[in-house]
Amino acid sequence: MVKLRLLVSTLLVLAAVDQRVVQAGRPAWRWLTDSSDITPVPEQDEPIEAVQPLAPNRRQPVDESYRLPGTTAPIHYHLSLRTAIHENNRGFSGVVTIQLKVLEATSTITLLNRRLTIQRARLLEDATEAEIEQPSFVTDQRTEHLTFSISRALAPGEQYKLRIEFTGQLQNNNNMGFFASSYLDNQGDRHYLASSKFEPTHARSAFPCYDEPTLKATFELELTHSRLYNAVANMPANGDPVPDPDNADYVTTRFVKSQIMSTYLLAFAVSDFTIRTAGQQDVYARSNVFDETQFPLEMGNRVLDALGAYMDISYYDFMPKMTQIAIPDRGTGAMENWGLVAYGEPVLLFNPSINTYRNRKSVTTIIAHEYAHQWFGNLVSPHWWEFIWLNEGFATVYEYYAAQLAHPEGQYWELFTTEVVQNAFSADASESVRPMNWNAGSPDEIAALFDTVAYDKSGSVLNMFREVLGDDIWRQGLKRYMNTRQLDGAVAADLYTGLQEALEIGNAGFLPAGVTVSDLMESWTSAAGFPVLNVRRTYTDDHSIILSQERFLSNRQVPNSHVFHIPFDFTDGATRDFTPTPAGFHWMSSKASKISTTVPHNQWIIFNRQQTGYYRVNYDAENWELLIEALRTDPTRIHHRNRAQLVNDAYNLARADRLDFAVALRLMSYLKHETEYAPWSAAGSALTYFYNKLRGTPSYEHFRVYVNYILADAYAALSIDTVTPQETMLQLYLKQFITTWACRIEHADCLARTKQALVTAHAANTPVHPDISTAVYCNGLVDVSDEVFVWIYEQFKNSRNQAHRSVLIDALACSRNTGQLQSLLSVALGSGSEFDALLATERTRIVSAIYGASRAGVDALIDFLAIPTNVPEFVNRLGAGTLNSAISNIASRTNNQAELDRLNALLSSLGTAVSDTVASNARATVQNNFNWFTTYEGLVALEFFEKFATMPQEL
């Protein structure tokens, strides 16, 4: 241990802290990672890791040996667990008695077991529980099958009980299985707790079980724990805790018998949390954040009631209560366990005095997402993980829709297109992406199904059909689906049947002749990717349009014979009717077709009103010109969602070589007159792309002129350093976007006003209003004194709200002062009592925030890693993966020869600390950055920005 040498001597809060070998230098969807306008500099062209490179074949072969044999099935579990987590003892013990039925003649009973030690097993008579025998058993480590061998044949229809005694180890803060977490109280003392997260295949790590979604059963649970702790589970407690006869320091909490459900939905927690209750709902959280549970409790009641009314099936018809629990150090995930929804603290707790409007939005929509699962996933579960989109796709739709129902003034549904549909497009445009229906065998394959396809694509496709069928028929179909499959498993065909029946009852005749709902939906659910609808107007007397479809790919055009059943609608410059209605949709069920319209040749036409359909649209050159002229003249004549669609489609069509890039950039120039958030949000990925390509190059100044031009009017209309009560959520989104980009291109007024707002707040010792804190702190910190930097660091150090701490980490990383950044990196690697409150995720976030904020941060990281004695400490504290990621991100932000020289020097300095593969990939990334300037796309873009900088009115 050596004394930390700080280059910023005034950061007194850090000056006396001991650290190991840290001298000078410096060394991050889904829920709280919002769109590109939050992060100081988003990642460059990074692949979507969640989408696995699988061939587009729905029924790909899988290893069926991972599946249970199907000879027996569970009826009921009685599970007893004992934990001493209050002492930070990670061992636990348990006894499970499984009432089972025999489906086929067998002499074995096979369950699933992951790393549990089985001590003894007894096969019992079902009625009397008299012991029949103590079967031998063995676990296959590959398949995780726990097989009990029975000395006699078990006949179909017979029922038995299998009692198993076992021990296990709590997993360590990894949000899997039965795992341990901890937190600090106000006195700095650490408290420990244990909770569960079993989806998709982790119940088997807590107790031996039939861990497949369709093998449902009822559960009786009892938890033995410290008498100073409490226990919570899916069901209410069955009376007060009972003293443990073997140890006076322990009690046993027993719970009411559960509803029939899948093993992955069983949930429980043992903690010393406090509880806030309202009606049949309550929220559990650590006592020092109790005040932050009011908002989620109120919103939970509103959302659950709204969903029950919408579904016409009350949650309380099946479950007696709803509990939400905030797990510290669990990240930003959440899990929809029936009756006990578990969240990471940042996405449940809300403090209006420090948390932003984005936090409020995230808390609301994530509660709505998890509560939607109480129907989609809990009441009706997927028959197998192939159909996980029946859970996650619906929950994604109602994440926004139910939030809107519960809180109409919140404008949540306005974000669905940009946050879900356009995000899905990005991930779904790869040739290797999987379809929605996709089989899986092993636990790793199953886990890989929880990706952008399962969530955002599936939500986009489902919402498209909701719009096409109409919400009334859609709801009737969902109710029939739920009533038919409740407390059971479902496959995609069950959903299609429910919707088909609702259509027939409603006498809705707008489906193509001879085509069923199944035909329509299967063209989307069992095919990879999505289409682009090509619209070519003939400009002849019959006003005809030739339509064609093909699969959209981001990098090239590949022949594809698949035909999507595309529901299309359109409007034009004369009628301007942008309201989608079931009667307004037509079907494109061939590769090409010709339609006639009455649209005058001099009027624009727009397909896919409000972008309700999950497809892109490309037009002929003349129609694009008509649209550009209309947007420049009066953008309000086109619906704001379609303006966002045009921006997003044009940019991505250009990236895919389907549209001249100059057309896309000319269209985006209309944003100078844009006052709505959605089109600006759609433009964010394009602006980020060019920023990342051009920063640090001679062409960057031309790009700055372009961005300054389109921002100027919107920026002038905003008060970037104040908040009024009248501002809506979308106005706050817009303000943050515009402010972030204005300061990013070094707009003098933006930098001056944010700095002054920060200095004024520091002088008054009053934190900046949370709804402008992200922009003011980050941009104000670009050039401030060490005293102000320390002031914000103190807020971070003293905050117990994880979402607030993340905002402050990102803000601190925005400094351009090398000494301040090095001090912050020292915090990431710090040890000792000063740093006990730091979460592992916060340490790595500091690093990624610093290299993501600016080139100054990248340089500071290079300087830090170039000191050989710092590298072992970096890897020891943060892991080799963080180092590899840092190298990759340094490379992605390397745009000129001087920056490449710095990277090469760093790679030489690191030597064997990084592999040859990491180093070669980094150099290849830089070469690709350099090569872009000689590509067709690069040359067109550079010429456009150069001309725009001198004569914008002519483009």
Side-chain angles (χ1 to χ4, degrees), residues 216 262 264-265 372-382 390-391:
K216 294 172 176 264
S262 304
Y264 79 87
L265 294 172
H373 275 308
Q374 306 305 305
W375 288 264
F376 301 104
N378 299 3
L379 183 59
V380 179
S381 303
L390 290 173
N391 285 17

Side-chain angles (χ1 to χ4, degrees), residues 157-227:
E158 294 178 343
Q159 295 186 12
Y160 298 91
K161 288 179 179 173
L162 182 61
R163 180 181 172 88
I164 307 167
E165 300 171 23
F166 59 94
T167 60
Q169 290 289 314
L170 294 175
Q171 300 188 58
N172 187 33
N173 291 63
N174 63 359
N175 191 26
M176 295 180 184
F178 193 18
F179 65 98
S181 305
S182 65
Y183 70 91
L184 295 178
D185 63 21
N186 292 348
Q187 288 70 47
D189 296 326
R190 188 163 295 279
H191 298 240
Y192 297 90
L193 63 140
S195 61
S196 66
K197 193 272 188 181
F198 291 156
E199 189 182 35
T201 64
H202 301 295
R204 66 192 69 174
S205 67
F207 64 106
C209 57
Y210 293 86
D211 197 14
E212 293 185 355
T214 196
L215 296 176
K216 294 172 176 264
T218 53
F219 293 82
E220 282 183 278
L221 176 67
E222 55 184 52
L223 300 174
T224 301
H225 53 86
S226 166
R227 62 182 178 83

Side-chain angles (χ1 to χ4, degrees), residues 91-105:
F92 68 90
S93 60
V95 180
V96 63
T97 301
I98 308 173
Q99 182 186 18
L100 58 90
K101 57 187 174 184
V102 180
L103 304 179
E104 299 176 11

